[in-house]
Amino acid sequence: KMAREVADETGTLMAGNICNTNIYNPDSQEALDKCRQIFKEQTEWAVSEGADFMVAETYTTLGEALLALQCIKQYSNGLPAVVTLSVSRNGLFCGTSVEDAMQALEKAGAAVVGLNCGRGPATMLPLMEKAVNKVKVPFAALPVVYRTTEEQPTMHSLLNHKGSKAFIVDMDEFLCGRTMVADFGRRCKELGVQYVGLCCG
């Protein structure tokens, strides 16, 4: 309700949101049914409060992203869906390439496809550059604001000065500066990326 009020006051759009679960298992009908129920419930909540579009984000497997998209299409009364994936050090957990996953989501009816979370600007950009021209729908890019590297490509893989995992309590030293974020935004513009933001951390 608060989000709808703010959107109305500011002339902006309000998004409903569903994200990955920790129970998705493509080999378990029980798990699939539970995921479907979760996505249905959250989508219907968003619709009841007047969402303008739906965001399904942070999926690490194509299968769960497609299931979320299917539920949005079934229960959102026709709201457009933005669907974004989070890519680990070794790629999507399902083994599908990012480019193929974007095309599959577009074919399944996503209004916008793209990437969010996990990777900082430096390690999300190479994935974006390969995938953005593989789809006709707008592309989304929402990295975390950490200086990830080729050796440590996700925020979860960053190591602190002692060689220990920095995530989640020791991330300050890896924060991106404003100039780095601005450079990322300019590169997105050059690539034709139309949906740009920053993710959690």
Side-chain angles (χ1 to χ4, degrees), residues 40-117:
K40 175 181 183 291
E41 182 177 46
Q42 292 178 329
T43 299
E44 289 178 339
W45 283 343
V47 170
S48 71
E49 296 300 339
D52 297 300
F53 67 102
M54 292 295 298
V55 175
E57 62 178 351
T58 324
Y59 295 96
T60 55
T61 65
L62 174 60
E64 188 174 20
L66 287 169
L67 179 60
L69 176 58
Q70 181 185 80
C71 289
I72 290 172
K73 292 177 72 65
Q74 186 172 355
Y75 301 112
S76 74
N77 296 335
L79 294 182
V82 176
V83 186
T84 55
L85 305 176
S86 183
V87 184
S88 76
R89 174 194 289 272
N90 298 312
L92 294 172
F93 292 158
C94 57
T96 306
S97 72
V98 172
E99 301 96 301
D100 287 348
M102 297 297 116
Q103 290 176 329
L105 290 167
E106 178 183 42
K107 185 177 180 180
V112 178
V113 300
L115 303 170
N116 84 293
C117 205

Side-chain angles (χ1 to χ4, degrees), residues 13-169:
L13 297 175
M14 171 196 159
N17 183 282
I18 60 178
C19 69
N20 60 312
T21 69
N22 61 0
I23 61 170
Y24 177 77
N25 180 349
D27 299 320
S28 167
Q29 189 60 50
E30 181 182 5
L32 293 172
D33 289 343
K34 286 182 178 179
C35 288
R36 190 173 286 107
Q37 180 58 37
I38 290 169
F39 296 150
K40 175 181 183 291
E41 182 177 46
Q42 292 178 329
T43 299
E44 289 178 339
W45 283 343
V47 170
S48 71
E49 296 300 339
D52 297 300
F53 67 102
M54 292 295 298
V55 175
E57 62 178 351
T58 324
Y59 295 96
T60 55
T61 65
L62 174 60
E64 188 174 20
L66 287 169
L67 179 60
L69 176 58
Q70 181 185 80
C71 289
I72 290 172
K73 292 177 72 65
Q74 186 172 355
Y75 301 112
S76 74
N77 296 335
L79 294 182
V82 176
V83 186
T84 55
L85 305 176
S86 183
V87 184
S88 76
R89 174 194 289 272
N90 298 312
L92 294 172
F93 292 158
C94 57
T96 306
S97 72
V98 172
E99 301 96 301
D100 287 348
M102 297 297 116
Q103 290 176 329
L105 290 167
E106 178 183 42
K107 185 177 180 180
V112 178
V113 300
L115 303 170
N116 84 293
C117 205
R119 292 174 177 250
T123 54
M124 185 175 283
L125 267 171
L127 300 179
M128 293 164 50
E129 290 168 347
K130 289 181 180 179
V132 67
N133 291 320
K134 301 293 185 180
V135 293
K136 294 183 175 65
V137 296
F139 198 90
L142 300 96
V144 294
V145 287
Y146 296 116
R147 289 178 285 108
T148 51
T149 66
E150 187 174 346
E151 294 76 25
Q152 298 169 28
T154 70
M155 65 179 177
H156 308 96
S157 62
L158 291 169
L159 301 178
N160 67 16
H161 65 289
K162 292 185 176 181
S164 301
K165 292 279 187 182
F167 188 80
I168 187 171
V169 298

